[in-house]
Amino acid sequence: MLMKSNKKSIITLAVSGLLAVAMMGCGNAASNQPEEKSEKSVTEVPADSIIKLLEADKTLDVSLMKALADRASQREFADKPLSLEDLSSLLWAANGVNREDGKRTAPSAVNAQDIDIYVCLASGAYLYEAKENQLRRITSEDLRTAVSGQQEMAAPVFLVMVGDLSRYPERLADKKDVVASFAAMDAGYVSQNIGLYCAAAKLATVPRATMDKETLAKALNLTDSQVLLLNNPVGYMK
């Protein structure tokens, strides 16, 4: 009987030891799990004459094929302003500098770099200066209604693409139709970049050609060589 009792005690101790090791292992596994990421930081876009943009978030982990699958025109937007983080990444994706030689995320015919992006916010309209990674205010007037026109889209941001035909080489001066088609294509590339970024970042947008061009040309102080081509309203999903 004594031998049986000792045998049971040994088995009990062995089982207890195994359970203790297993529990320690579970505790270590839990502690080795990566901590949940904190919520994405949100900075309000200041209403300054010069808005310094942030470094674009290039870690957005969405495949090109997924972005293409999700890309769709959205005409309704949440009643919420874009954060400085999202606006900064959006503009870099649209036509930011992605190489040391100053070339951009969007291609450009004969490297004319003819497309300027005007950013229309509640605080006014700004010119996106990609090399300086900043916005420079052109007017404090809220031009979003002029961009939306009769469709009355309530987006917090409108990106307006303007082609500057004076940037094309002199050898194309007498080929106005060719230059105009180049500028239209270049604006299309920028708009496509906007659409793909919005699909990846879960933002709403739609490419548009309609806008009050007369009002915008005057308010933005555009020259005769600058042509209003496309616009993209952008906001959070409703």
Side-chain angles (χ1 to χ4, degrees), residues 23-87:
M23 291 177 68
M24 289 174 64
C26 290
N28 289 337
S31 64
N32 290 332
Q33 292 298 319
E35 295 183 2
E36 292 187 5
K37 293 183 179 179
S38 58
E39 290 188 7
K40 188 177 179 181
S41 60
V42 175
T43 306
E44 184 178 347
V45 178
D48 300 334
S49 58
I50 297 291
I51 299 175
K52 292 293 184 181
L53 298 171
L54 305 176
E55 184 72 20
D57 179 7
K58 300 167 189 172
T59 64
L60 185 61
D61 190 16
V62 178
S63 71
L64 173 61
M65 298 304 282
K66 175 62 174 171
L68 287 168
D70 291 343
R71 196 223 61 80
S73 294
Q74 303 285 344
R75 293 174 174 81
E76 293 187 348
F77 309 89
D79 184 16
K80 176 183 176 182
L82 276 188
S83 68
L84 184 61
E85 287 81 6
D86 287 331
L87 181 60

Short mmCIF file of all heavy atoms in Angstrom, two decimals, residues 23-87:
data_model
loop_
_atom_site.label_atom_id
_atom_site.label_comp_id
_atom_site.label_asym_id
_atom_site.label_seq_id
_atom_site.Cartn_x
_atom_site.Cartn_y
_atom_site.Cartn_z
N MET A 23 1.54 26.57 -18.00
CA MET A 23 0.99 27.88 -17.68
C MET A 23 2.03 28.98 -17.86
O MET A 23 1.73 30.07 -18.36
CB MET A 23 0.48 27.90 -16.24
CG MET A 23 -0.78 27.04 -16.04
SD MET A 23 -1.33 26.99 -14.33
CE MET A 23 -1.86 28.68 -14.13
N MET A 24 3.28 28.68 -17.50
CA MET A 24 4.35 29.66 -17.71
C MET A 24 4.55 29.92 -19.18
O MET A 24 4.76 31.05 -19.62
CB MET A 24 5.66 29.14 -17.09
CG MET A 24 5.66 29.13 -15.57
SD MET A 24 7.15 28.37 -14.91
CE MET A 24 8.37 29.53 -15.50
N GLY A 25 4.46 28.85 -19.97
CA GLY A 25 4.63 29.01 -21.42
C GLY A 25 3.55 29.88 -22.00
O GLY A 25 3.80 30.74 -22.85
N CYS A 26 2.31 29.68 -21.52
CA CYS A 26 1.21 30.51 -22.01
C CYS A 26 1.42 31.95 -21.63
O CYS A 26 1.17 32.86 -22.42
CB CYS A 26 -0.12 30.02 -21.42
SG CYS A 26 -0.65 28.42 -22.08
N GLY A 27 1.92 32.16 -20.41
CA GLY A 27 2.17 33.54 -19.98
C GLY A 27 3.23 34.19 -20.82
O GLY A 27 3.10 35.35 -21.23
N ASN A 28 4.29 33.46 -21.14
CA ASN A 28 5.35 34.02 -21.98
C ASN A 28 4.85 34.31 -23.38
O ASN A 28 5.20 35.30 -24.00
CB ASN A 28 6.54 33.05 -22.04
CG ASN A 28 7.30 32.99 -20.72
OD1 ASN A 28 7.22 33.93 -19.93
ND2 ASN A 28 8.00 31.89 -20.47
N ALA A 29 4.02 33.39 -23.90
CA ALA A 29 3.50 33.59 -25.25
C ALA A 29 2.66 34.85 -25.32
O ALA A 29 2.74 35.64 -26.26
CB ALA A 29 2.66 32.38 -25.68
N ALA A 30 1.85 35.06 -24.27
CA ALA A 30 1.01 36.24 -24.25
C ALA A 30 1.86 37.50 -24.17
O ALA A 30 1.58 38.50 -24.83
CB ALA A 30 0.04 36.18 -23.07
N SER A 31 2.92 37.44 -23.36
CA SER A 31 3.76 38.63 -23.21
C SER A 31 4.56 38.93 -24.46
O SER A 31 4.98 40.05 -24.68
CB SER A 31 4.71 38.44 -22.02
OG SER A 31 5.60 37.36 -22.27
N ASN A 32 4.78 37.87 -25.27
CA ASN A 32 5.55 38.07 -26.51
C ASN A 32 4.69 38.56 -27.66
O ASN A 32 5.20 38.85 -28.75
CB ASN A 32 6.25 36.76 -26.92
CG ASN A 32 7.38 36.42 -25.97
OD1 ASN A 32 7.96 37.32 -25.37
ND2 ASN A 32 7.68 35.13 -25.82
N GLN A 33 3.38 38.58 -27.46
CA GLN A 33 2.50 39.06 -28.52
C GLN A 33 2.74 40.55 -28.74
O GLN A 33 2.93 41.30 -27.80
CB GLN A 33 1.03 38.84 -28.14
CG GLN A 33 0.63 37.37 -28.11
CD GLN A 33 0.77 36.70 -29.43
OE1 GLN A 33 0.42 37.29 -30.46
NE2 GLN A 33 1.31 35.49 -29.45
N PRO A 34 2.73 41.02 -30.02
CA PRO A 34 2.94 42.45 -30.28
C PRO A 34 1.82 43.28 -29.68
O PRO A 34 0.66 42.88 -29.70
CB PRO A 34 2.91 42.53 -31.83
CG PRO A 34 2.17 41.31 -32.27
CD PRO A 34 2.49 40.26 -31.25
N GLU A 35 2.20 44.40 -29.12
CA GLU A 35 1.21 45.29 -28.54
C GLU A 35 0.32 45.87 -29.63
O GLU A 35 0.77 46.11 -30.74
CB GLU A 35 1.89 46.43 -27.79
CG GLU A 35 2.67 45.95 -26.58
CD GLU A 35 3.28 47.13 -25.83
OE1 GLU A 35 3.04 48.28 -26.26
OE2 GLU A 35 3.98 46.90 -24.84
N GLU A 36 -0.94 46.04 -29.30
CA GLU A 36 -1.86 46.64 -30.27
C GLU A 36 -1.42 48.06 -30.58
O GLU A 36 -1.02 48.81 -29.69
CB GLU A 36 -3.29 46.64 -29.71
CG GLU A 36 -3.89 45.26 -29.59
CD GLU A 36 -5.35 45.33 -29.19
OE1 GLU A 36 -5.88 46.46 -29.11
OE2 GLU A 36 -5.96 44.28 -28.96
N LYS A 37 -1.48 48.38 -31.86
CA LYS A 37 -1.07 49.72 -32.27
C LYS A 37 -2.03 50.76 -31.73
O LYS A 37 -3.24 50.56 -31.70
CB LYS A 37 -1.01 49.82 -33.80
CG LYS A 37 0.08 48.95 -34.41
CD LYS A 37 0.13 49.13 -35.93
CE LYS A 37 1.23 48.30 -36.55
NZ LYS A 37 1.27 48.45 -38.02
N SER A 38 -1.49 51.87 -31.31
CA SER A 38 -2.33 52.96 -30.83
C SER A 38 -3.06 53.58 -32.01
O SER A 38 -2.66 53.41 -33.16
CB SER A 38 -1.48 54.02 -30.12
OG SER A 38 -0.50 54.51 -31.01
N GLU A 39 -4.14 54.26 -31.71
CA GLU A 39 -4.93 54.88 -32.78
C GLU A 39 -4.06 55.88 -33.56
O GLU A 39 -3.18 56.52 -33.01
CB GLU A 39 -6.14 55.58 -32.19
CG GLU A 39 -7.19 54.62 -31.64
CD GLU A 39 -8.45 55.36 -31.24
OE1 GLU A 39 -8.54 56.57 -31.51
OE2 GLU A 39 -9.33 54.72 -30.65
N LYS A 40 -4.37 55.96 -34.84
CA LYS A 40 -3.62 56.85 -35.71
C LYS A 40 -3.71 58.30 -35.22
O LYS A 40 -4.80 58.78 -34.88
CB LYS A 40 -4.19 56.74 -37.13
CG LYS A 40 -3.38 57.46 -38.19
CD LYS A 40 -4.00 57.20 -39.55
CE LYS A 40 -3.24 57.92 -40.64
NZ LYS A 40 -3.85 57.68 -41.97
N SER A 41 -2.55 58.94 -35.13
CA SER A 41 -2.54 60.32 -34.65
C SER A 41 -3.29 61.22 -35.63
O SER A 41 -3.27 61.00 -36.84
CB SER A 41 -1.11 60.82 -34.50
OG SER A 41 -0.42 60.76 -35.73
N VAL A 42 -3.98 62.19 -35.09
CA VAL A 42 -4.79 63.10 -35.90
C VAL A 42 -4.41 64.53 -35.56
O VAL A 42 -4.46 64.94 -34.41
CB VAL A 42 -6.30 62.88 -35.65
CG1 VAL A 42 -7.10 63.91 -36.42
CG2 VAL A 42 -6.70 61.47 -36.06
N THR A 43 -3.99 65.28 -36.59
CA THR A 43 -3.64 66.69 -36.42
C THR A 43 -4.56 67.52 -37.29
O THR A 43 -4.74 67.22 -38.47
CB THR A 43 -2.17 66.94 -36.84
OG1 THR A 43 -1.32 66.04 -36.12
CG2 THR A 43 -1.77 68.37 -36.54
N GLU A 44 -5.12 68.55 -36.73
CA GLU A 44 -6.00 69.43 -37.48
C GLU A 44 -5.19 70.26 -38.47
O GLU A 44 -4.08 70.72 -38.16
CB GLU A 44 -6.75 70.36 -36.52
CG GLU A 44 -7.77 71.26 -37.19
CD GLU A 44 -8.51 72.13 -36.19
OE1 GLU A 44 -8.41 71.87 -34.99
OE2 GLU A 44 -9.19 73.08 -36.65
N VAL A 45 -5.71 70.44 -39.67
CA VAL A 45 -5.04 71.27 -40.67
C VAL A 45 -5.15 72.73 -40.24
O VAL A 45 -6.25 73.25 -40.08
CB VAL A 45 -5.67 71.09 -42.07
CG1 VAL A 45 -4.99 72.00 -43.09
CG2 VAL A 45 -5.56 69.63 -42.51
N PRO A 46 -4.02 73.41 -40.04
CA PRO A 46 -4.10 74.81 -39.60
C PRO A 46 -4.58 75.73 -40.71
O PRO A 46 -4.42 75.43 -41.89
CB PRO A 46 -2.64 75.13 -39.21
CG PRO A 46 -1.83 74.21 -40.06
CD PRO A 46 -2.64 72.95 -40.20
N ALA A 47 -5.16 76.85 -40.32
CA ALA A 47 -5.64 77.83 -41.30
C ALA A 47 -4.58 78.91 -41.50
O ALA A 47 -4.87 80.11 -41.42
CB ALA A 47 -6.96 78.43 -40.84
N ASP A 48 -3.35 78.49 -41.76
CA ASP A 48 -2.23 79.43 -41.91
C ASP A 48 -2.02 79.79 -43.38
O ASP A 48 -2.50 79.10 -44.28
CB ASP A 48 -0.94 78.82 -41.35
CG ASP A 48 -1.05 78.49 -39.87
OD1 ASP A 48 -1.87 79.15 -39.19
OD2 ASP A 48 -0.34 77.58 -39.42
N SER A 49 -1.27 80.86 -43.62
CA SER A 49 -0.96 81.24 -45.00
C SER A 49 0.00 80.25 -45.64
O SER A 49 -0.04 80.02 -46.85
CB SER A 49 -0.37 82.65 -45.04
OG SER A 49 0.79 82.73 -44.25
N ILE A 50 0.87 79.65 -44.83
CA ILE A 50 1.74 78.56 -45.26
C ILE A 50 1.47 77.37 -44.36
O ILE A 50 1.60 77.47 -43.13
CB ILE A 50 3.24 78.94 -45.18
CG1 ILE A 50 3.57 80.09 -46.13
CG2 ILE A 50 4.11 77.72 -45.51
CD1 ILE A 50 3.50 79.75 -47.61
N ILE A 51 1.08 76.26 -44.94
CA ILE A 51 0.83 75.04 -44.18
C ILE A 51 1.95 74.05 -44.47
O ILE A 51 2.09 73.56 -45.60
CB ILE A 51 -0.53 74.42 -44.55
CG1 ILE A 51 -1.67 75.40 -44.23
CG2 ILE A 51 -0.74 73.10 -43.81
CD1 ILE A 51 -3.04 74.91 -44.68
N LYS A 52 2.75 73.77 -43.47
CA LYS A 52 3.81 72.80 -43.61
C LYS A 52 3.21 71.39 -43.52
O LYS A 52 2.61 71.03 -42.51
CB LYS A 52 4.87 72.99 -42.53
CG LYS A 52 5.67 74.28 -42.67
CD LYS A 52 6.54 74.24 -43.93
CE LYS A 52 7.42 75.48 -44.04
NZ LYS A 52 8.25 75.45 -45.27
N LEU A 53 3.39 70.63 -44.57
CA LEU A 53 2.84 69.28 -44.60
C LEU A 53 3.78 68.31 -43.89
O LEU A 53 4.97 68.59 -43.70
CB LEU A 53 2.62 68.84 -46.05
CG LEU A 53 1.62 69.68 -46.85
CD1 LEU A 53 1.66 69.31 -48.32
CD2 LEU A 53 0.20 69.51 -46.28
N LEU A 54 3.24 67.16 -43.50
CA LEU A 54 4.02 66.14 -42.83
C LEU A 54 4.62 65.19 -43.85
O LEU A 54 4.23 65.17 -45.02
CB LEU A 54 3.12 65.36 -41.86
CG LEU A 54 2.37 66.21 -40.82
CD1 LEU A 54 1.44 65.32 -40.01
CD2 LEU A 54 3.33 66.96 -39.93
N GLU A 55 5.56 64.39 -43.40
CA GLU A 55 6.11 63.34 -44.26
C GLU A 55 5.00 62.36 -44.58
O GLU A 55 4.22 61.96 -43.71
CB GLU A 55 7.25 62.63 -43.55
CG GLU A 55 7.96 61.58 -44.37
CD GLU A 55 8.82 62.16 -45.47
OE1 GLU A 55 9.17 63.36 -45.39
OE2 GLU A 55 9.14 61.42 -46.43
N ALA A 56 4.90 61.97 -45.85
CA ALA A 56 3.85 61.03 -46.25
C ALA A 56 4.07 59.68 -45.57
O ALA A 56 5.20 59.23 -45.38
CB ALA A 56 3.86 60.86 -47.76
N ASP A 57 2.97 59.04 -45.21
CA ASP A 57 3.03 57.70 -44.62
C ASP A 57 3.15 56.69 -45.76
O ASP A 57 2.17 56.36 -46.41
CB ASP A 57 1.77 57.44 -43.79
CG ASP A 57 1.78 56.05 -43.17
OD1 ASP A 57 2.81 55.36 -43.27
OD2 ASP A 57 0.76 55.65 -42.59
N LYS A 58 4.37 56.20 -45.98
CA LYS A 58 4.62 55.27 -47.08
C LYS A 58 4.56 53.81 -46.64
O LYS A 58 5.00 52.93 -47.37
CB LYS A 58 5.97 55.59 -47.72
CG LYS A 58 6.02 57.02 -48.28
CD LYS A 58 7.42 57.44 -48.63
CE LYS A 58 7.45 58.93 -48.97
NZ LYS A 58 8.82 59.45 -49.15
N THR A 59 4.01 53.58 -45.44
CA THR A 59 3.90 52.22 -44.92
C THR A 59 2.49 51.65 -45.10
O THR A 59 2.21 50.57 -44.59
CB THR A 59 4.27 52.18 -43.42
OG1 THR A 59 3.32 52.95 -42.67
CG2 THR A 59 5.67 52.74 -43.20
N LEU A 60 1.64 52.35 -45.79
CA LEU A 60 0.27 51.88 -46.02
C LEU A 60 0.33 50.53 -46.73
O LEU A 60 0.77 50.43 -47.87
CB LEU A 60 -0.49 52.91 -46.87
CG LEU A 60 -1.98 52.65 -47.11
CD1 LEU A 60 -2.74 52.62 -45.80
CD2 LEU A 60 -2.56 53.71 -48.03
N ASP A 61 -0.11 49.49 -46.04
CA ASP A 61 0.10 48.12 -46.51
C ASP A 61 -1.12 47.60 -47.27
O ASP A 61 -1.89 46.78 -46.77
CB ASP A 61 0.42 47.20 -45.31
CG ASP A 61 0.89 45.82 -45.75
OD1 ASP A 61 1.24 45.68 -46.93
OD2 ASP A 61 0.89 44.90 -44.92
N VAL A 62 -1.29 48.10 -48.49
CA VAL A 62 -2.37 47.66 -49.37
C VAL A 62 -1.76 47.38 -50.74
O VAL A 62 -1.04 48.21 -51.28
CB VAL A 62 -3.48 48.73 -49.48
CG1 VAL A 62 -4.56 48.26 -50.44
CG2 VAL A 62 -4.07 49.02 -48.12
N SER A 63 -2.05 46.21 -51.29
CA SER A 63 -1.49 45.87 -52.60
C SER A 63 -2.14 46.70 -53.70
O SER A 63 -3.26 47.20 -53.54
CB SER A 63 -1.68 44.39 -52.90
OG SER A 63 -3.05 44.11 -53.17
N LEU A 64 -1.43 46.84 -54.81
CA LEU A 64 -1.97 47.56 -55.95
C LEU A 64 -3.25 46.90 -56.44
O LEU A 64 -4.24 47.58 -56.75
CB LEU A 64 -0.94 47.62 -57.07
CG LEU A 64 -1.43 48.21 -58.40
CD1 LEU A 64 -1.88 49.65 -58.22
CD2 LEU A 64 -0.35 48.11 -59.47
N MET A 65 -3.27 45.57 -56.50
CA MET A 65 -4.44 44.87 -56.99
C MET A 65 -5.65 45.08 -56.07
O MET A 65 -6.79 45.19 -56.53
CB MET A 65 -4.15 43.37 -57.14
CG MET A 65 -3.03 43.07 -58.14
SD MET A 65 -3.36 43.77 -59.79
CE MET A 65 -4.53 42.58 -60.42
N LYS A 66 -5.40 45.15 -54.77
CA LYS A 66 -6.48 45.41 -53.81
C LYS A 66 -7.02 46.82 -54.00
O LYS A 66 -8.24 47.04 -53.98
CB LYS A 66 -5.94 45.23 -52.39
CG LYS A 66 -6.94 45.58 -51.30
CD LYS A 66 -8.18 44.71 -51.32
CE LYS A 66 -9.06 45.00 -50.12
NZ LYS A 66 -10.39 44.31 -50.24
N ALA A 67 -6.11 47.79 -54.21
CA ALA A 67 -6.55 49.18 -54.43
C ALA A 67 -7.37 49.27 -55.72
O ALA A 67 -8.39 49.98 -55.76
CB ALA A 67 -5.35 50.10 -54.49
N LEU A 68 -6.94 48.57 -56.75
CA LEU A 68 -7.70 48.58 -58.01
C LEU A 68 -9.07 47.93 -57.82
O LEU A 68 -10.07 48.39 -58.38
CB LEU A 68 -6.91 47.84 -59.09
CG LEU A 68 -5.68 48.57 -59.65
CD1 LEU A 68 -4.84 47.63 -60.49
CD2 LEU A 68 -6.11 49.78 -60.47
N ALA A 69 -9.11 46.87 -57.03
CA ALA A 69 -10.38 46.19 -56.79
C ALA A 69 -11.35 47.08 -56.00
O ALA A 69 -12.56 47.02 -56.22
CB ALA A 69 -10.14 44.88 -56.03
N ASP A 70 -10.81 47.90 -55.11
CA ASP A 70 -11.66 48.74 -54.25
C ASP A 70 -11.95 50.11 -54.84
O ASP A 70 -12.81 50.83 -54.33
CB ASP A 70 -10.98 48.93 -52.88
CG ASP A 70 -10.95 47.66 -52.07
OD1 ASP A 70 -11.72 46.72 -52.42
OD2 ASP A 70 -10.17 47.58 -51.10
N ARG A 71 -11.26 50.50 -55.91
CA ARG A 71 -11.45 51.84 -56.45
C ARG A 71 -12.86 52.00 -57.01
O ARG A 71 -13.33 51.19 -57.81
CB ARG A 71 -10.43 52.12 -57.56
CG ARG A 71 -10.35 53.63 -57.87
CD ARG A 71 -10.29 53.93 -59.35
NE ARG A 71 -11.45 53.46 -60.08
CZ ARG A 71 -12.61 54.10 -60.13
NH1 ARG A 71 -12.81 55.22 -59.45
NH2 ARG A 71 -13.61 53.60 -60.83
N ALA A 72 -13.53 53.04 -56.55
CA ALA A 72 -14.90 53.33 -57.00
C ALA A 72 -15.18 54.80 -56.76
O ALA A 72 -14.63 55.41 -55.84
CB ALA A 72 -15.91 52.47 -56.25
N SER A 73 -16.02 55.37 -57.60
CA SER A 73 -16.39 56.78 -57.44
C SER A 73 -17.37 56.93 -56.29
O SER A 73 -18.38 56.23 -56.22
CB SER A 73 -17.01 57.31 -58.74
OG SER A 73 -16.04 57.32 -59.78
N GLN A 74 -17.05 57.85 -55.38
CA GLN A 74 -17.90 58.13 -54.23
C GLN A 74 -18.26 59.61 -54.24
O GLN A 74 -17.38 60.46 -54.35
CB GLN A 74 -17.19 57.79 -52.92
CG GLN A 74 -16.70 56.35 -52.82
CD GLN A 74 -17.83 55.37 -52.54
OE1 GLN A 74 -18.92 55.78 -52.14
NE2 GLN A 74 -17.58 54.09 -52.75
N ARG A 75 -19.54 59.91 -54.12
CA ARG A 75 -20.00 61.30 -54.19
C ARG A 75 -20.59 61.81 -52.88
O ARG A 75 -21.10 62.92 -52.82
CB ARG A 75 -21.02 61.44 -55.32
CG ARG A 75 -20.41 61.23 -56.71
CD ARG A 75 -21.46 61.24 -57.80
NE ARG A 75 -20.86 61.19 -59.12
CZ ARG A 75 -20.44 60.06 -59.70
NH1 ARG A 75 -20.57 58.89 -59.07
NH2 ARG A 75 -19.88 60.08 -60.90
N GLU A 76 -20.49 61.00 -51.84
CA GLU A 76 -20.96 61.42 -50.53
C GLU A 76 -19.81 61.32 -49.54
O GLU A 76 -18.98 60.40 -49.62
CB GLU A 76 -22.14 60.55 -50.06
CG GLU A 76 -23.39 60.74 -50.90
CD GLU A 76 -24.59 60.01 -50.32
OE1 GLU A 76 -24.40 59.18 -49.41
OE2 GLU A 76 -25.71 60.28 -50.78
N PHE A 77 -19.76 62.28 -48.60
CA PHE A 77 -18.62 62.39 -47.71
C PHE A 77 -19.09 62.63 -46.27
O PHE A 77 -20.10 63.29 -46.04
CB PHE A 77 -17.72 63.55 -48.15
CG PHE A 77 -17.36 63.50 -49.61
CD1 PHE A 77 -18.18 64.11 -50.56
CD2 PHE A 77 -16.23 62.84 -50.04
CE1 PHE A 77 -17.87 64.06 -51.91
CE2 PHE A 77 -15.92 62.77 -51.39
CZ PHE A 77 -16.73 63.38 -52.33
N ALA A 78 -18.33 62.11 -45.33
CA ALA A 78 -18.63 62.36 -43.92
C ALA A 78 -18.40 63.83 -43.60
O ALA A 78 -17.54 64.48 -44.20
CB ALA A 78 -17.75 61.47 -43.04
N ASP A 79 -19.18 64.34 -42.67
CA ASP A 79 -19.06 65.74 -42.25
C ASP A 79 -17.90 65.86 -41.25
O ASP A 79 -18.09 66.04 -40.05
CB ASP A 79 -20.37 66.22 -41.63
CG ASP A 79 -20.33 67.71 -41.28
OD1 ASP A 79 -19.43 68.40 -41.78
OD2 ASP A 79 -21.19 68.15 -40.49
N LYS A 80 -16.69 65.76 -41.79
CA LYS A 80 -15.50 65.72 -40.95
C LYS A 80 -14.30 66.18 -41.79
O LYS A 80 -14.12 65.70 -42.91
CB LYS A 80 -15.29 64.29 -40.46
CG LYS A 80 -14.04 64.05 -39.64
CD LYS A 80 -13.94 62.57 -39.28
CE LYS A 80 -12.66 62.25 -38.55
NZ LYS A 80 -12.54 60.80 -38.25
N PRO A 81 -13.49 67.11 -41.30
CA PRO A 81 -12.33 67.58 -42.08
C PRO A 81 -11.25 66.52 -42.16
O PRO A 81 -11.11 65.68 -41.25
CB PRO A 81 -11.86 68.81 -41.29
CG PRO A 81 -12.31 68.55 -39.89
CD PRO A 81 -13.61 67.82 -40.00
N LEU A 82 -10.48 66.53 -43.22
CA LEU A 82 -9.34 65.63 -43.33
C LEU A 82 -8.26 66.06 -42.33
O LEU A 82 -8.05 67.25 -42.11
CB LEU A 82 -8.74 65.68 -44.74
CG LEU A 82 -9.36 64.83 -45.84
CD1 LEU A 82 -8.49 64.89 -47.09
CD2 LEU A 82 -9.56 63.39 -45.42
N SER A 83 -7.58 65.08 -41.76
CA SER A 83 -6.48 65.39 -40.86
C SER A 83 -5.26 65.83 -41.68
O SER A 83 -5.17 65.57 -42.89
CB SER A 83 -6.11 64.16 -40.04
OG SER A 83 -5.54 63.15 -40.87
N LEU A 84 -4.33 66.48 -41.02
CA LEU A 84 -3.09 66.90 -41.69
C LEU A 84 -2.31 65.67 -42.15
O LEU A 84 -1.68 65.70 -43.22
CB LEU A 84 -2.24 67.75 -40.74
CG LEU A 84 -0.96 68.34 -41.34
CD1 LEU A 84 -1.27 69.27 -42.51
CD2 LEU A 84 -0.17 69.10 -40.26
N GLU A 85 -2.37 64.59 -41.39
CA GLU A 85 -1.66 63.36 -41.78
C GLU A 85 -2.21 62.82 -43.10
O GLU A 85 -1.45 62.48 -44.01
CB GLU A 85 -1.81 62.30 -40.67
CG GLU A 85 -1.00 62.56 -39.42
CD GLU A 85 -1.64 63.55 -38.46
OE1 GLU A 85 -2.81 63.97 -38.72
OE2 GLU A 85 -1.00 63.92 -37.47
N ASP A 86 -3.54 62.73 -43.19
CA ASP A 86 -4.15 62.18 -44.40
C ASP A 86 -3.98 63.12 -45.60
O ASP A 86 -3.74 62.66 -46.72
CB ASP A 86 -5.63 61.89 -44.16
CG ASP A 86 -5.84 60.66 -43.29
OD1 ASP A 86 -4.98 59.76 -43.32
OD2 ASP A 86 -6.85 60.61 -42.57
N LEU A 87 -4.10 64.41 -45.37
CA LEU A 87 -3.92 65.37 -46.46
C LEU A 87 -2.49 65.33 -46.99
O LEU A 87 -2.27 65.39 -48.20
CB LEU A 87 -4.28 66.78 -45.98
CG LEU A 87 -4.17 67.89 -47.03
CD1 LEU A 87 -5.09 67.63 -48.22
CD2 LEU A 87 -4.48 69.26 -46.41
#
